[in-house]
């Protein structure tokens, strides 16, 4: 399938050494002998172009059924948005944190304007908001404010926050003190999304210098393996007003409140540096990873659709063969030799799975499967099969009842052949390392023989009685 090739291309471009604790690093970043990370200037235009081409291939893949495309319409829309983002050269940064940690205030401070709503009460930010970072218009840095992870509306808003993380390239997690268990759990979840993480200790103005240094060191230890030490930064998005004492000409003191400017320079410089150096690569990798997950979903849906169609097809042939055998009974020993309908069924199955077989190829496949079934059907197994087919039927063993039992055996043989052929096709026309014998034996072992025979008897009897009537 074309989408399989797409994901193979994406995986070929996203190299294993691009993954690091707390996120993904672009190719070219290597630690120097002292352990520090040395990152050369990076503009991986070729990599971005390859991923963009792969995204277009996924969007335009003609092998994806309309029903699957409709079912995953939201995901395909995200891919289109990611493609647009890649073409604009944007880096999307999600801002996370608890309610009142100062996420929106930090976003506004980074932007230098009131772009996000700031409020004291819970629930101020109820949806994701986007704004271009003023100082980074050229580098295309976009901030995304999110609901607090402990909002009153809880699960729904937290789920929204993590969905935003999934389509963001970088995450800034905002705290205002030591991390709570809830915050640490959220950080671990975010790290699992393989996004680069920065931890911003907000309201740093509340601490003295020594106390702040001690808290930053403590936070770096707590998030080791999730966030790099150099990415744990102190900020003051909305510092408390400073008390200023003024003495007038007569010596009278007057105390007034003087607003202080936000202190987010270190974080802003870090974000701008990442955007300038790694932005296109991070954006391309994130898009590639998301497209890979969507490709897997598409493949799963297509496989489910094919399996449903195949199950319906096998049942139709089971019914046709079961009724045919019942109307013209043949000895049990010759049931597996009635390969005409089975060969036709396998041809149809091969088309369902997009691996068409000729009638001759289908016949050979049925012969291989039948030979393995015959080897399994020793005398004792054959007697048990006959007993199962007759079990629960009229003690009188009328002609109709006997015919239904024989038809049920034909039905069961067709189920076995259909399931075995389906397995062969799913594996790409291969029995795998274990070979046909083991594959067919596993099919036999995993099928509920008695329930299949019971359904077959009931359905065939109903058809035979309808014909007699």
């Amino acid at each position: 399938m074309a989408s399989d090739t797409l994901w193979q291309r994406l995986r070929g471009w996203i190299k294993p050494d691009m993954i690091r604790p707390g996120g993904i690093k672009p190719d070219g970043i290597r630690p120097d002998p002292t352990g520090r990370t040395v990152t050369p200037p990076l503009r991986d235009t070729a990599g971005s172009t390859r991923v963009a081409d792969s995204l277009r291939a996924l969007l335009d893949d003609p092998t994806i059924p309309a029903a699957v495309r409709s079912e995953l319409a939201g995901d395909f829309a995200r891919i289109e948005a990611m493609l647009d983002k890649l073409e604009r050269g944007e880096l999307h940064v999600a801002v996370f944190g608890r309610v009142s940690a100062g996420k929106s205030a930090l976003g506004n401070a980074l932007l230098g304007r009131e772009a996000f709503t700031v409020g004291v009460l819970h629930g101020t930010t109820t949806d994701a908001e986007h704004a271009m970072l003023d100082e980074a218009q050229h580098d295309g840095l976009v901030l995304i404010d999110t609901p607090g992870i402990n909002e009153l509306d809880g699960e729904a808003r937290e789920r929204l926050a993590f969905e935003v993380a999934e389509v963001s390239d970088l995450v800034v997690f905002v705290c205002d003190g030591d991390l709570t268990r809830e915050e640490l759990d959220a950080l671990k979840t975010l790290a699992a999304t393989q996004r680069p993480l920065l931890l911003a200790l907000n309201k740093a103005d509340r601490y003295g210098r020594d106390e702040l240094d001690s808290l930053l060191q403590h936070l770096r230890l707590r998030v080791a393996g999730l966030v790099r030490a150099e990415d744990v930064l102190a900020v003051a998005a909305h510092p408390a007003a400073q008390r200023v004492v003024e003495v007038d000409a007569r010596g009278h003191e007057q105390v007034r409140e003087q607003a202080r400017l936000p202190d987010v320079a270190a974080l802003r410089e870090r974000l701008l540096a990442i955007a300038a150096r790694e932005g296109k690569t991070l954006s391309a990798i994130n898009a590639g990873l998301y497209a890979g997950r969507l490709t897997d979903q598409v493949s799963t849906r297509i496989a489910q659709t094919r399996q449903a169609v195949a199950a319906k097809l096998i049942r139709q042939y089971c019914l046709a063969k079961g009724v045919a055998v019942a109307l013209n009974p043949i000895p049990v020993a010759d049931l597996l030799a009635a390969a005409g309908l089975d060969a036709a069924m396998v041809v149809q199955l091969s088309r369902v799975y997009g691996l068409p077989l000729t009638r001759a190829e289908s016949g050979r496949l049925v012969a291989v499967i039948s030979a393995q079934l015959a080897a399994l059907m020793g005398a004792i197994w054959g007697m048990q099969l006959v007993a199962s087919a007759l079990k629960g039927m009229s003690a009188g063993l009328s002609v109709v009842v006997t015919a239904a039992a024989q038809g049920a055996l034909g039905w069961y043989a067709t189920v076995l052949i259909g399931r075995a052929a389906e397995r062969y096709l799913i594996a790409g026309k291969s029995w795998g390392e274990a070979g046909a014998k083991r594959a067919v034996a596993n099919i036999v072992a995993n099928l509920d023989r008695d329930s299949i025979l019971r359904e077959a008897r009931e359905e065939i009897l109903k058809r035979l009685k309808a014909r007699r009537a």
Side-chain angles (χ1 to χ4, degrees), residues 324-376:
V325 169
L327 291 174
N328 185 23
I330 57 178
V332 173
D334 295 333
L335 281 175
L336 294 176
L341 282 172
D342 294 330
M345 173 184 67
V346 171
V347 168
Q348 295 298 317
L349 285 173
S350 71
R351 292 173 182 169
V352 169
Y353 283 97
L355 297 169
L357 297 173
T358 65
R359 189 60 180 260
E361 290 173 325
S362 172
R364 287 194 292 271
L365 179 58
V366 170
V368 170
I369 298 171
S370 298
Q372 299 304 321
L373 289 173
L376 289 170

Side-chain angles (χ1 to χ4, degrees), residues 211-232:
E211 188 180 12
L212 180 60
D213 289 342
S214 177
L215 180 54
L216 285 172
Q217 183 61 26
H218 175 72
L219 288 172
R220 287 173 180 134
L221 290 173
R222 291 204 70 190
V223 301
L226 303 175
V227 183
R228 293 183 296 189
E230 61 267 33
D231 289 335
V232 179

Side-chain angles (χ1 to χ4, degrees), residues 172-423:
V172 175
F173 196 100
V174 185
C175 65
D176 59 4
D178 193 8
L179 295 174
T180 66
R181 179 182 296 274
E182 182 180 52
E183 288 174 317
L184 191 56
D185 288 344
L187 262 176
K188 291 177 180 177
T189 302
L190 288 168
T193 68
Q194 299 183 331
R195 298 296 177 278
L197 296 173
L198 280 74
L199 180 61
L201 172 61
N202 195 19
K203 305 178 184 178
D205 56 296
R206 300 188 306 185
Y207 305 99
R209 185 71 257 170
D210 291 343
E211 188 180 12
L212 180 60
D213 289 342
S214 177
L215 180 54
L216 285 172
Q217 183 61 26
H218 175 72
L219 288 172
R220 287 173 180 134
L221 290 173
R222 291 204 70 190
V223 301
L226 303 175
V227 183
R228 293 183 296 189
E230 61 267 33
D231 289 335
V232 179
L233 305 165
V235 296
H238 194 276
Q242 186 175 19
R243 291 171 61 87
V244 178
V245 178
E246 296 179 340
V247 181
D248 61 20
R250 291 177 294 178
H252 296 153
E253 293 184 352
Q254 292 183 342
V255 180
R256 65 181 179 84
E257 300 284 328
Q258 179 175 307
R260 289 193 286 175
L261 295 175
D263 181 8
V264 296
L267 178 60
R268 179 190 286 115
E269 289 173 7
R270 184 80 178 117
L271 289 174
L272 294 178
I274 291 172
R277 184 183 62 226
E278 307 171 14
K280 287 191 175 183
T281 300
L282 289 175
S283 184
I285 291 173
N286 179 44
L289 290 172
Y290 188 84
R293 287 191 292 274
L294 178 57
T295 300
D296 291 341
Q297 291 182 52
V298 168
S299 298
T300 298
R301 296 294 194 280
I302 291 176
Q304 291 171 345
T305 301
R306 285 174 169 170
Q307 287 170 1
V309 172
K312 184 177 180 180
L313 182 67
I314 291 172
R315 193 179 189 285
Q316 290 173 343
Y317 274 91
C318 285
L319 182 60
K321 183 175 178 180
V323 172
V325 169
L327 291 174
N328 185 23
I330 57 178
V332 173
D334 295 333
L335 281 175
L336 294 176
L341 282 172
D342 294 330
M345 173 184 67
V346 171
V347 168
Q348 295 298 317
L349 285 173
S350 71
R351 292 173 182 169
V352 169
Y353 283 97
L355 297 169
L357 297 173
T358 65
R359 189 60 180 260
E361 290 173 325
S362 172
R364 287 194 292 271
L365 179 58
V366 170
V368 170
I369 298 171
S370 298
Q372 299 304 321
L373 289 173
L376 289 170
M377 294 174 64
I380 296 177
W381 193 89
M383 291 301 296
Q384 290 176 337
L385 184 59
V386 173
S388 294
L390 295 173
K391 189 167 81 174
M393 303 187 75
S394 169
L397 292 181
S398 66
V399 174
V400 171
V401 171
T402 304
Q406 291 179 332
L409 295 177
W411 179 306
Y412 180 61
T414 297
V415 170
L416 293 174
I417 290 172
R419 292 292 179 84
E422 187 179 18
R423 178 165 177 169

Side-chain angles (χ1 to χ4, degrees), residues 72-85:
L72 299 174
D75 296 289
F76 278 98
R78 276 187 176 180
I79 292 293
E80 289 181 355
M82 285 180 166
L83 182 57
D84 291 340
K85 181 181 75 172

